[in-house]
Coordinates of all heavy atoms in Angstrom, one line a residue:
M282 N -81.4 -16.0 76.1 CA -80.2 -15.5 76.6 C -80.1 -14.0 76.2 O -80.4 -13.7 75.1 CB -79.0 -16.3 76.1 CG -77.8 -16.1 76.8 SD -76.9 -17.7 76.8 CE -75.6 -17.3 77.9
A283 N -79.5 -13.2 77.0 CA -79.4 -11.8 76.7 C -78.4 -11.6 75.6 O -77.3 -12.2 75.5 CB -78.9 -11.1 78.0
R284 N -78.7 -10.6 74.8 CA -77.8 -10.2 73.7 C -76.7 -9.3 74.2 O -76.9 -8.5 75.0 CB -78.6 -9.5 72.6 CG -78.4 -10.0 71.2 CD -79.2 -9.3 70.2 NE -80.1 -8.3 70.7 CZ -80.7 -7.4 70.0 NH1 -80.5 -7.4 68.7 NH2 -81.4 -6.5 70.5
R285 N -75.5 -9.6 73.8 CA -74.4 -8.7 74.3 C -74.2 -7.5 73.4 O -74.4 -7.6 72.1 CB -73.1 -9.5 74.2 CG -73.1 -10.7 75.1 CD -71.8 -11.3 75.3 NE -71.2 -10.5 76.5 CZ -70.1 -10.8 77.0 NH1 -69.3 -11.7 76.6 NH2 -69.6 -10.1 78.1
R286 N -74.0 -6.4 74.0 CA -73.8 -5.2 73.2 C -72.3 -5.1 72.7 O -71.4 -5.8 73.2 CB -74.0 -3.9 74.1 CG -75.4 -3.9 74.5 CD -75.8 -2.7 75.3 NE -74.8 -1.7 75.6 CZ -75.0 -0.7 76.4 NH1 -76.2 -0.5 76.9 NH2 -74.1 0.2 76.6
N287 N -72.2 -4.4 71.6 CA -70.9 -4.4 70.9 C -69.9 -3.6 71.8 O -68.7 -4.0 71.9 CB -71.0 -3.7 69.5 CG -71.6 -4.7 68.5 OD1 -71.7 -5.9 68.8 ND2 -72.2 -4.2 67.5
Q288 N -70.3 -2.5 72.4 CA -69.4 -1.7 73.1 C -69.5 -2.0 74.6 O -70.6 -2.4 75.1 CB -69.6 -0.2 72.9 CG -70.8 0.4 73.5 CD -72.0 0.3 72.6 OE1 -72.1 -0.5 71.7 NE2 -73.0 1.1 72.9
D289 N -68.5 -1.8 75.4 CA -68.5 -2.0 76.8 C -69.3 -0.9 77.5 O -69.4 0.2 77.0 CB -67.1 -2.0 77.4 CG -66.4 -3.3 77.1 OD1 -67.0 -4.3 76.8 OD2 -65.1 -3.3 77.1
I290 N -69.9 -1.2 78.6 CA -70.7 -0.3 79.4 C -69.7 0.7 80.1 O -68.7 0.3 80.6 CB -71.6 -1.0 80.4 CG1 -72.6 -0.1 81.0 CG2 -70.8 -1.7 81.4 CD1 -73.7 -0.8 81.7
T291 N -70.1 2.0 80.1 CA -69.2 3.0 80.7 C -69.4 3.0 82.2 O -70.5 2.5 82.7 CB -69.5 4.4 80.1 OG1 -70.9 4.7 80.5 CG2 -69.4 4.4 78.6
P292 N -68.5 3.5 83.0 CA -68.6 3.5 84.4 C -69.9 4.3 84.9 O -70.6 3.9 85.8 CB -67.4 4.2 84.9 CG -66.4 3.9 83.8 CD -67.1 3.9 82.5
D293 N -70.2 5.3 84.1 CA -71.4 6.1 84.5 C -72.7 5.3 84.2 O -73.6 5.3 85.0 CB -71.5 7.4 83.7 CG -70.5 8.4 84.2 OD1 -70.1 8.3 85.4 OD2 -70.1 9.4 83.4
E294 N -72.7 4.6 83.1 CA -73.9 3.7 82.8 C -74.0 2.6 83.9 O -75.1 2.3 84.3 CB -73.8 3.1 81.4 CG -74.0 4.1 80.3 CD -73.7 3.5 78.9 OE1 -72.9 2.6 78.8 OE2 -74.4 3.9 78.0
F295 N -72.9 2.1 84.3 CA -72.9 1.0 85.3 C -73.4 1.5 86.6 O -74.2 0.9 87.3 CB -71.4 0.4 85.4 CG -71.4 -0.7 86.4 CD1 -71.8 -1.9 86.1 CD2 -70.8 -0.4 87.7 CE1 -71.8 -3.0 87.1 CE2 -70.7 -1.5 88.6 CZ -71.2 -2.7 88.3
R296 N -72.9 2.7 87.0 CA -73.4 3.3 88.2 C -74.9 3.6 88.2 O -75.6 3.3 89.2 CB -72.6 4.7 88.4 CG -72.5 5.1 89.9 CD -71.6 6.3 90.1 NE -70.2 6.0 89.7 CZ -69.5 6.7 88.7 NH1 -70.1 7.7 88.1 NH2 -68.3 6.3 88.5
E297 N -75.4 4.1 87.1 CA -76.8 4.3 87.0 C -77.6 3.0 87.0 O -78.6 2.9 87.7 CB -77.1 5.0 85.6 CG -78.5 5.5 85.5 CD -79.0 6.5 86.5 OE1 -78.1 7.3 86.9 OE2 -80.1 6.4 86.9
L298 N -77.1 2.0 86.4 CA -77.7 0.7 86.4 C -77.8 0.1 87.8 O -78.8 -0.4 88.3 CB -77.0 -0.3 85.5 CG -77.5 -1.7 85.3 CD1 -78.9 -1.6 84.6 CD2 -76.6 -2.6 84.5
M299 N -76.7 0.2 88.5 CA -76.7 -0.3 89.9 C -77.6 0.5 90.8 O -78.3 -0.1 91.7 CB -75.2 -0.2 90.5 CG -74.3 -1.2 89.8 SD -74.9 -2.9 89.9 CE -74.8 -3.3 91.6
R300 N -77.7 1.8 90.6 CA -78.6 2.6 91.4 C -80.1 2.2 91.1 O -80.9 2.1 92.1 CB -78.5 4.1 91.0 CG -79.2 5.0 91.9 CD -78.8 6.5 91.6 NE -77.4 6.8 91.8 CZ -76.6 7.4 91.0 NH1 -77.1 7.8 89.8 NH2 -75.4 7.6 91.3
E301 N -80.4 1.9 89.9 CA -81.7 1.4 89.5 C -82.0 0.1 90.1 O -83.1 -0.1 90.7 CB -81.9 1.4 88.0 CG -83.3 1.1 87.5 CD -84.3 2.2 87.8 OE1 -83.8 3.4 87.8 OE2 -85.4 1.9 87.9
I302 N -81.1 -0.8 90.1 CA -81.3 -2.2 90.7 C -81.5 -2.0 92.2 O -82.3 -2.7 92.8 CB -80.1 -3.1 90.3 CG1 -80.1 -3.4 88.8 CG2 -80.1 -4.3 91.2 CD1 -78.8 -4.1 88.4
N303 N -80.6 -1.2 92.8 CA -80.8 -1.0 94.3 C -82.1 -0.5 94.6 O -82.8 -0.9 95.6 CB -79.7 -0.1 94.8 CG -78.3 -0.8 94.9 OD1 -78.3 -2.0 95.0 ND2 -77.3 0.0 94.9
K304 N -82.6 0.5 93.8 CA -83.9 1.1 94.1 C -85.0 0.0 94.0 O -85.9 -0.1 94.9 CB -84.2 2.2 93.1 CG -85.3 3.2 93.5 CD -85.6 4.1 92.4 CE -84.4 4.8 91.7 NZ -84.7 5.6 90.6
R305 N -85.0 -0.8 93.0 CA -86.0 -1.9 92.9 C -85.9 -2.9 94.0 O -86.9 -3.4 94.4 CB -85.9 -2.5 91.5 CG -86.2 -1.6 90.4 CD -86.1 -2.2 89.0 NE -86.3 -1.2 88.0 CZ -86.8 -1.4 86.8 NH1 -87.2 -2.6 86.5 NH2 -87.0 -0.4 85.9
M306 N -84.7 -3.2 94.4 CA -84.5 -4.2 95.5 C -85.0 -3.7 96.8 O -85.7 -4.4 97.5 CB -83.0 -4.6 95.6 CG -82.5 -5.4 94.5 SD -83.3 -7.0 94.3 CE -82.4 -7.9 95.5
I307 N -84.8 -2.4 97.0 CA -85.4 -1.8 98.3 C -86.9 -1.8 98.2 O -87.5 -2.1 99.2 CB -84.8 -0.3 98.4 CG1 -83.3 -0.4 98.8 CG2 -85.6 0.5 99.5 CD1 -82.6 1.0 98.7
I308 N -87.5 -1.4 97.1 CA -88.9 -1.4 97.0 C -89.5 -2.9 97.2 O -90.4 -3.1 97.9 CB -89.4 -0.9 95.6 CG1 -89.1 0.6 95.6 CG2 -90.9 -1.1 95.4 CD1 -89.2 1.3 94.2
A309 N -88.8 -3.8 96.6 CA -89.3 -5.2 96.7 C -89.1 -5.7 98.2 O -90.0 -6.3 98.7 CB -88.5 -6.1 95.8
G310 N -88.1 -5.3 98.8 CA -87.9 -5.7 100.2 C -88.9 -5.0 101.1 O -89.5 -5.7 102.0
L311 N -89.3 -3.8 100.9 CA -90.3 -3.1 101.7 C -91.7 -3.8 101.5 O -92.4 -3.9 102.4 CB -90.4 -1.6 101.3 CG -89.2 -0.8 101.8 CD1 -89.4 0.6 101.2 CD2 -89.1 -0.8 103.3
I312 N -91.9 -4.2 100.2 CA -93.2 -4.9 100.0 C -93.3 -6.2 100.7 O -94.3 -6.6 101.4 CB -93.4 -5.1 98.5 CG1 -93.6 -3.8 97.8 CG2 -94.5 -6.1 98.2 CD1 -93.6 -3.9 96.3
V313 N -92.1 -7.0 100.7 CA -92.1 -8.3 101.4 C -92.3 -8.1 102.9 O -93.0 -8.8 103.6 CB -90.8 -9.0 101.1 CG1 -90.6 -10.2 102.1 CG2 -90.8 -9.5 99.7
I314 N -91.6 -7.1 103.5 CA -91.7 -6.8 104.9 C -93.1 -6.4 105.3 O -93.7 -6.9 106.3 CB -90.6 -5.7 105.3 CG1 -89.2 -6.3 105.3 CG2 -91.0 -5.2 106.7 CD1 -88.1 -5.2 105.4
T315 N -93.7 -5.5 104.5 CA -95.0 -5.0 104.8 C -96.0 -6.2 104.7 O -96.9 -6.3 105.6 CB -95.5 -3.9 103.8 OG1 -94.5 -2.9 103.8 CG2 -96.8 -3.4 104.1
T316 N -95.9 -7.1 103.7 CA -96.8 -8.2 103.6 C -96.6 -9.1 104.8 O -97.6 -9.6 105.4 CB -96.5 -9.0 102.3 OG1 -96.6 -8.1 101.2 CG2 -97.4 -10.1 102.1
G317 N -95.4 -9.4 105.2 CA -95.2 -10.2 106.4 C -95.8 -9.6 107.7 O -96.4 -10.3 108.5
L318 N -95.6 -8.3 107.9 CA -96.2 -7.7 109.0 C -97.7 -7.7 109.0 O -98.4 -7.9 110.0 CB -95.7 -6.2 109.1 CG -94.3 -6.0 109.5 CD1 -93.9 -4.6 109.5 CD2 -94.0 -6.6 110.9
L319 N -98.3 -7.6 107.8 CA -99.8 -7.7 107.7 C -100.3 -9.1 108.0 O -101.3 -9.2 108.7 CB -100.2 -7.3 106.3 CG -100.2 -5.8 105.9 CD1 -100.5 -5.6 104.4 CD2 -101.2 -5.0 106.8
I320 N -99.6 -10.1 107.6 CA -99.9 -11.5 107.9 C -99.8 -11.7 109.4 O -100.7 -12.3 110.0 CB -99.1 -12.5 107.1 CG1 -99.4 -12.4 105.6 CG2 -99.2 -13.9 107.6 CD1 -98.5 -13.2 104.7
I321 N -98.7 -11.3 110.0 CA -98.5 -11.4 111.5 C -99.6 -10.7 112.2 O -100.2 -11.2 113.2 CB -97.1 -11.0 111.9 CG1 -96.1 -11.9 111.3 CG2 -97.0 -10.9 113.4 CD1 -94.7 -11.4 111.5
G322 N -100.0 -9.5 111.8 CA -101.0 -8.7 112.4 C -102.4 -9.4 112.3 O -103.2 -9.4 113.2
A323 N -102.7 -9.9 111.1 CA -103.9 -10.6 110.9 C -104.0 -11.9 111.8 O -105.1 -12.1 112.4 CB -104.1 -11.0 109.4
L324 N -102.9 -12.6 111.9 CA -102.9 -13.8 112.8 C -103.2 -13.4 114.2 O -103.9 -14.1 114.9 CB -101.6 -14.6 112.6 CG -101.5 -15.4 111.3 CD1 -100.1 -16.0 111.2 CD2 -102.5 -16.5 111.2
A325 N -102.5 -12.3 114.7 CA -102.7 -11.9 116.0 C -104.1 -11.4 116.3 O -104.7 -11.7 117.4 CB -101.7 -10.8 116.3
L326 N -104.7 -10.8 115.3 CA -106.0 -10.2 115.4 C -107.1 -11.3 115.5 O -108.0 -11.2 116.3 CB -106.3 -9.3 114.2 CG -107.3 -8.1 114.5 CD1 -106.7 -7.1 115.4 CD2 -107.6 -7.5 113.1
W327 N -106.9 -12.3 114.7 CA -107.9 -13.4 114.6 C -107.6 -14.6 115.4 O -107.9 -15.7 115.1 CB -108.0 -13.8 113.1 CG -108.7 -12.7 112.3 CD1 -109.8 -12.0 112.7 CD2 -108.4 -12.3 111.0 NE1 -110.1 -11.1 111.7 CE2 -109.3 -11.3 110.6 CE3 -107.4 -12.7 110.1 CZ2 -109.2 -10.7 109.4 CZ3 -107.4 -12.1 108.8 CH2 -108.3 -11.1 108.5
G328 N -106.8 -14.4 116.5 CA -106.6 -15.5 117.4 C -105.3 -16.2 117.3 O -104.6 -16.3 118.3
G329 N -104.9 -16.5 116.1 CA -103.6 -17.2 116.0 C -103.5 -18.4 116.8 O -104.5 -18.9 117.3
P330 N -102.2 -18.9 117.0 CA -102.1 -20.1 117.8 C -102.0 -19.8 119.3 O -101.0 -19.5 119.9 CB -100.7 -20.6 117.3 CG -100.0 -19.4 116.9 CD -101.0 -18.4 116.4
H331 N -103.2 -19.8 120.0 CA -103.2 -19.6 121.4 C -103.4 -21.0 122.1 O -104.3 -21.7 121.7 CB -104.4 -18.7 121.8 CG -104.1 -17.2 121.5 ND1 -103.0 -16.5 122.0 CD2 -104.7 -16.4 120.7 CE1 -103.0 -15.3 121.5 NE2 -104.1 -15.2 120.7
G332 N -102.6 -21.2 123.1 CA -102.7 -22.5 123.8 C -103.7 -22.8 124.7 O -104.6 -22.3 125.2

């Protein structure tokens, strides 16, 4: 479990923390989207489900 700090986080620290979290979430999302597109492209290239 995370240790609690003695003093409260300041609004500036909170803003910076949220900015960092948003940045990491955007990067993770782009990685997921890119991986999905690569998989779809590979399936289309190698035949995939053709009837």
Side-chain angles (χ1 to χ4, degrees):
M282 196 146 190
R284 231 177 356 167
R285 298 197 87 175
R286 292 182 6 182
N287 287 340
Q288 74 273 21
D289 286 337
I290 190 168
T291 65
D293 286 339
E294 288 174 329
F295 181 75
R296 204 171 297 122
E297 186 63 35
L298 183 65
M299 291 307 291
R300 191 173 295 132
E301 186 68 28
I302 291 172
N303 283 338
K304 198 186 314 177
R305 291 179 189 211
M306 291 297 279
I307 289 170
I308 292 170
L311 289 175
I312 290 171
V313 168
I314 290 170
T315 304
T316 304
L318 289 176
L319 285 174
I320 291 171
I321 291 170
L324 286 175
L326 208 69
W327 290 319
H331 287 300

